Amino acid sequence: MKEQAAIQTSIANIQQKRGILITGLLVAMLFGALDGTIVGTALPRIVGELGGLSMMAWLTTAYMLTSTTIVPIAGKLADLFGRKSIYVTGLAIFIIGSALCGMADTMNQLIIFRAIQGIGGGIMMPMAMIVIGDLFTGAERAKWQGVFGGVFGLASILGPQVGGWIVDSLNWRWVFYINLPVGILAIVLISLGLHNHRVAERVKLDLAGMFTMVVAVVSLLLALTFGGDKYDWLSWQIISLLASSVVFFSLFVFVERKAEEPIMPIHLLKNKTFVVLNSVGFFMSVGMFGAIMFVPLFMQGIIGMSPSESGTMMFPMMFALIIASMIGGRLVQKIGVRPQVIVGMVLVALGFFLLSTMNVDTNKWTAMSFMATLGFGLGFVNPVITLALQEVFPKSQLGIVTSSSQFFRQIGGTFGATLLGAIMNHRSKDLLEAKFLPLLEQLPAQAQAMTDSFKQLVESNPQSVYSVILNPDTLKKIPEQMQQMFVPVLKQTLVDALSDVFLYGLIFVGIGFIFAMFIGRITISNRTNKVNEME
């Protein structure tokens, strides 16, 4: 009887700790995800107080560079040193970075502090899914990853509203300070609920692998960020960055072949399941960012919604994503990974095709239904990719395979934003030259200054021409007769350009679908990947 009572007490303690831990994971994911969307809302106020409009993009770029680069490193360190120490370290860095951001007095300081914050954010990103992979069986993980995906989606919806309220009620510094109490709460809960698994007494860090990977990834991300924007794609700056990325990726592969504890074991890249699943995630992300970037442009330019109203158009997609994540977590246990990913990719492809059919007469309800279709597809695919990787690989590699999923999707998103943005610019230029410039030739000689200004914009920055229909203040400065001449043509060229962008997004989703066809037979079992976290 005493032994049975002791066992029951032990089980009760484990369940209690598990509840505390899950609460901590949810809190950490919620405040980490909120930060990304809240900060965007505060950018105009930040620039208004600190100045440095030309450097504003670096507030996002600095965070993106450090957070993306650190993800695979964090996964490997979690395998070597245990989940708790790495997770708490990431949370602490994020909190320190947030506090420093709130105290920044110049734009340069804020950019540096955002980079520090990004290191913490990049460590936090994969850790929740790694810990879930440790604690639960495959069937249980399927349910919980759907819940965590829902929390992330909810944060994406609430972020702009919360950020707007903070900026209006307090000031922009509280956008960062709000992270402090919530982050401390997450650290306390995770520290109480999570214990480190035992690791070898002597750990050899792959410093050469870390260095070569960081230089390679940062060079690639900088090239993708500035190519076609700040610098021409064929400029020496972009070519040098791309060449640097190729050289250091090659060195990375060479170093990893000889490392005792490689950051990215080369044998993973020879594993069919690893390559196929991460390829699906990569190409899905390439397409997904097309919707996130360009749907608000359609809503503002064609339907006439305000920027804040167009931001709410993400709600149908995110809400559908949350519902599909939860449904998919249960459905995948019955039908398996491959069928669910295929169904999800078909829905994503359908969503992009529907978006490509939008025209000047499309109303917001129709557009919302198209976004919901896309969201359902993403919700069926996103959590399952990580789940499948965790199911296939042993617990000793759980951290690196989980973080790799996040890493490849982030790289895909950056690549997609760059490539689809370039396509949008190219198509806009062609369409404006064919349909808009001939109208300018019909203007009287008195409007020659306006004609020359528009011609220069079409040549150098075609998308900026659409400010005529995107900005009511700009439109008011143009005589009404010219408005009647310009607006219909500009709307039609914008629709045509966006339609092409969505079709290109569909092509990338189609490539992802082809990869999905090669997913092997993976069923979600009751096998646990637990690594003594609760001991």
Side-chain angles (χ1 to χ4, degrees):
M1 293 293 291
K2 288 183 179 180
E3 290 182 2
Q4 186 176 2
I7 292 172
Q8 289 177 345
T9 301
S10 177
I11 293 173
N13 289 335
I14 289 174
Q15 293 299 330
Q16 183 182 18
K17 282 191 172 184
R18 182 176 288 186
I20 292 172
L21 176 57
I22 290 172
T23 303
L25 296 177
L26 288 169
V27 170
M29 174 166 280
L30 181 63
F31 97 99
L34 277 172
D35 181 79
T37 48
I38 286 177
V39 173
T41 309
L43 287 180
R45 294 286 180 90
I46 292 172
V47 172
E49 182 173 326
L50 300 183
L53 178 62
S54 61
M55 296 187 292
M56 185 175 72
W58 273 103
L59 292 177
T60 302
T61 301
Y63 187 96
M64 181 267 292
L65 286 174
T66 54
S67 62
T68 301
T69 304
I70 201 69
V71 166
I73 295 176
K76 181 61 179 182
L77 294 180
D79 285 338
L80 292 176
F81 293 103
R83 317 309 192 206
K84 180 179 177 180
S85 57
I86 300 303
Y87 205 165
V88 171
T89 299
L91 286 164
I93 293 172
F94 190 85
I95 291 171
I96 292 168
S98 297
L100 291 172
C101 286
M103 295 186 289
D105 293 322
T106 67
M107 185 64 82
N108 286 331
Q109 288 180 3
L110 187 56
I111 289 169
I112 293 170
F113 298 152
R114 278 288 282 170
I116 294 172
Q117 193 186 31
I119 294 173
I123 294 173
M124 290 163 50
M125 283 177 195
M127 287 307 300
M129 294 306 172
I130 293 173
V131 174
I132 288 297
D134 292 333
L135 292 180
F136 297 105
T137 65
E140 292 171 330
R141 290 200 308 273
K143 299 174 185 177
W144 279 107
Q145 288 189 359
V147 172
F148 276 81
V151 170
F152 191 88
L154 181 64
S156 301
I157 295 171
L158 295 177
Q161 283 71 34
V162 174
W165 178 83
I166 290 174
V167 170
D168 292 338
S169 303
L170 301 168
N171 62 56
W172 66 265
R173 296 181 186 275
W174 279 96
V175 165
F176 299 105
Y177 288 146
I178 196 69
N179 290 332
L180 274 61
V182 182
I184 291 170
L185 174 62
I187 287 178
V188 170
L189 293 173
I190 290 170
S191 297
L192 290 173
L194 185 63
H195 292 288
N196 269 332
H197 66 277
R198 291 184 292 273
V199 294
E201 293 182 5
R202 188 179 179 186
V203 174
K204 196 162 186 178
L205 290 176
D206 179 19
L207 296 178
M210 291 182 190
F211 174 76
T212 52
M213 192 199 72
V214 167
V215 176
V217 172
V218 169
S219 298
L220 176 62
L221 292 176
L222 285 174
L224 293 176
T225 301
F226 294 132
D229 181 15
K230 191 171 182 180
Y231 302 106
D232 186 81
W233 281 108
L234 296 179
S235 66
W236 69 265
Q237 291 94 338
I238 301 302
I239 291 176
S240 297
L241 286 170
L242 291 174
S244 173
S245 181
V246 171
V247 169
F248 278 92
F249 268 125
S250 301
L251 289 173
F252 174 71
V253 172
F254 176 78
V255 166
E256 295 303 273
R257 290 182 183 276
K258 299 180 178 298
E260 290 184 28
E261 289 288 351
I263 290 296
M264 177 73 73
I266 296 301
H267 71 82
L268 290 179
L269 300 178
K270 298 177 182 178
N271 183 288
K272 175 189 171 185
T273 301
F274 183 87
V275 172
V276 167
L277 287 171
N278 282 316
S279 295
V280 172
F282 175 86
F283 285 107
M284 180 186 67
S285 296
V286 171
M288 181 179 71
F289 273 75
I292 293 174
M293 286 177 60
F294 295 113
V295 167
L297 185 60
F298 180 91
M299 298 303 161
Q300 294 176 50
I302 306 304
I303 296 180
M305 301 175 73
S306 67
S308 59
E309 289 174 331
S310 68
T312 63
M313 290 303 298
M314 293 296 107
F315 179 83
M317 186 179 86
M318 291 302 180
F319 183 74
L321 189 152
I322 292 170
I323 298 301
S325 294
M326 294 180 176
I327 295 173
R330 297 180 180 275
L331 183 63
V332 70
Q333 301 170 51
K334 299 179 180 179
I335 67 175
V337 172
R338 182 170 174 267
Q340 181 161 319
V341 172
I342 289 174
V343 169
M345 293 302 286
V346 168
L347 287 173
V348 173
L350 177 61
F352 269 95
F353 172 75
L354 292 172
L355 289 173
S356 73
T357 65
M358 294 191 300
N359 55 50
V360 292
D361 298 318
T362 300
N363 59 51
K364 67 177 182 179
W365 300 108
T366 301
M368 288 170 69
S369 68
F370 295 167
M371 293 295 290
T373 303
L374 181 61
F376 269 110
L378 294 172
F380 279 133
V381 177
N382 258 327
V384 175
I385 293 174
T386 303
L387 178 67
L389 286 168
Q390 291 179 339
E391 189 70 19
V392 170
F393 289 91
K395 64 184 181 182
S396 61
Q397 296 180 331
L398 191 67
I400 186 60
V401 297
T402 303
S403 61
S404 72
S405 175
Q406 179 73 41
F407 176 72
F408 284 111
R409 275 182 269 186
Q410 283 185 248
I411 293 291
T414 304
F415 181 76
T418 302
L419 182 61
L420 294 177
I423 291 171
M424 177 69 185
N425 235 17
H426 179 73
R427 288 297 296 142
S428 295
K429 182 179 179 180
D430 289 347
L431 290 165
L432 288 169
E433 286 178 344
K435 298 181 180 181
F436 181 62
L437 291 187
L439 288 179
L440 296 176
E441 301 297 337
Q442 301 175 21
L443 295 178
Q446 296 90 322
Q448 189 61 43
M450 179 187 295
T451 300
D452 293 340
S453 176
F454 273 124
K455 284 182 177 180
Q456 185 177 0
L457 286 176
V458 169
E459 181 64 31
S460 61
N461 188 10
Q463 289 189 53
S464 65
V465 177
Y466 298 129
S467 62
V468 173
I469 54 178
L470 293 171
N471 191 331
D473 294 331
T474 302
L475 190 60
K476 289 177 183 177
K477 296 177 182 178
I478 298 177
E480 186 173 348
Q481 186 176 359
M482 291 186 184
Q483 289 183 32
Q484 294 174 358
M485 182 190 301
F486 289 165
V487 170
V489 174
L490 287 175
K491 283 190 173 184
Q492 189 59 55
T493 56
L494 177 59
V495 166
D496 292 343
L498 287 173
S499 178
D500 286 346
V501 167
F502 291 132
L503 286 175
Y504 274 101
L506 176 59
I507 291 173
F508 287 106
V509 173
I511 296 172
F513 173 81
I514 293 172
F515 274 102
M517 299 293 290
F518 290 94
I519 295 175
R521 181 177 175 81
I522 304 172
T523 54
I524 307 304
S525 68
N526 288 317
R527 174 174 66 88
T528 179
N529 272 318
K530 192 178 294 185
V531 283
N532 303 325
E533 256 71 3
M534 310 311 297
E535 292 181 1

